[in-house]
Amino acid sequence: MKTSQRRKTALILISMSIPMFIPLLMQMLGYRLVIFNNIGLDENNLAPWYAWITALVVTLLYVLYTFKKIPFVYEMQKEVSLFKLIGLLSVIGGLIEELVFRQWLMDVLDSKGYGIIIQILISGILFALIHIAWVIFSRDKKFLFGAFISTFLLGTLLAIVYLIGNRNVGPCIISHALINIIIEPWLLLAAISKDWKTKRASIAQL
């Protein structure tokens, strides 16, 4: 795999992460944003234990599914590099996405009288749509469709975890973070390089 493909992947990851850092930076500077009012990780406000177990099961299932469908991601798990470190920026994206697509969006829908089925479906669909944006880089319709289905399923499962946890987003945040830590930046690199169909690992370094 060409080094240029890694550089392109790194540039895309950094470009996508910058907007995610803005609300976090604003919060750190003292601007109290609504989405940060309750991130569900306060020891006095943790989700029930069964919500955490469910979140871990969702994490395991999604990671194993990704390994099976995209062997390249599994093959690259042993690499420790600057490129992998850049991939960890996606953890911030996962945090913001859970606060928006689970906590904020589902609570808004609930306040407007929509039932839990509608809340779950809308959360899952919008979550999937925002994620297929980067998959467009692969220009592979099969990959695009697969990415939509897999991220829709993940979004709906995390929405269910959110409800199981009594609308505590903590387990969703940790689940999403663990998934991103494991599969990125390899998933995006697979889409760009089209190596998602193979088990050939890259030896090129960033």
Side-chain angles (χ1 to χ4, degrees):
M1 187 178 299
K2 297 180 180 179
T3 303
S4 61
Q5 292 174 336
R6 288 191 168 216
R7 288 176 177 169
K8 181 178 180 180
T9 302
L11 181 60
I12 292 170
L13 279 170
I14 293 171
S15 298
M16 291 191 303
S17 298
I18 290 175
M20 298 294 185
F21 271 107
I22 293 175
L24 187 60
L25 180 61
M26 291 177 65
Q27 182 73 11
M28 294 173 63
L29 291 175
Y31 295 93
R32 300 304 173 190
L33 304 182
V34 175
I35 62 171
F36 289 105
N37 283 348
N38 179 19
I39 62 174
L41 298 176
D42 187 327
E43 63 179 358
N44 297 317
N45 187 34
L46 292 176
W49 64 268
Y50 46 84
W52 289 99
I53 295 298
T54 306
L56 289 177
V57 170
V58 169
T59 303
L60 180 61
L61 290 176
Y62 191 79
V63 168
L64 292 177
Y65 172 82
T66 302
F67 285 169
K68 181 178 180 180
K69 291 295 183 180
I70 311 176
F72 174 77
V73 176
Y74 174 73
E75 287 288 312
M76 299 307 296
Q77 291 304 303
K78 296 180 181 179
E79 180 177 315
V80 178
S81 63
L82 173 61
F83 184 59
K84 175 60 180 178
L85 184 62
I86 292 174
L88 295 181
L89 291 173
S90 62
V91 172
I92 300 299
L95 164 66
I96 302 300
E97 287 169 8
E98 291 310 310
L99 292 175
V100 171
F101 291 106
R102 246 60 69 188
Q103 182 170 267
W104 178 79
L105 176 60
M106 293 181 67
D107 286 0
V108 167
L109 292 172
D110 182 60
S111 69
K112 294 185 178 297
Y114 291 97
I116 59 173
I117 300 299
I118 296 298
Q119 294 175 40
I120 292 171
L121 289 176
I122 292 179
S123 175
I125 290 171
L126 293 181
F127 182 72
L129 288 175
I130 199 68
H131 278 80
I132 63 172
W134 62 261
V135 182
I136 292 175
F137 292 110
S138 72
R139 297 180 182 178
D140 186 322
K141 292 182 179 180
K142 186 176 181 181
F143 193 100
L144 186 66
F145 178 75
F148 178 84
I149 295 300
S150 64
T151 50
F152 168 73
L153 290 175
L154 177 61
T156 56
L157 288 173
L158 289 175
I160 291 171
V161 169
Y162 180 61
L163 295 176
I164 290 176
N166 299 323
R167 295 187 178 272
N168 186 307
V169 77
C172 300
I173 290 174
I174 298 302
S175 175
H176 201 149
L178 289 173
I179 289 171
N180 283 357
I181 288 171
I182 295 170
I183 69 175
E184 294 295 356
W186 315 122
L187 187 59
L188 180 55
L189 180 58
I192 291 173
S193 65
K194 296 183 173 61
D195 266 351
W196 64 281
K197 297 178 181 178
T198 73
K199 292 186 177 181
R200 179 172 62 82
S202 169
I203 59 173
Q205 298 298 312
L206 181 66

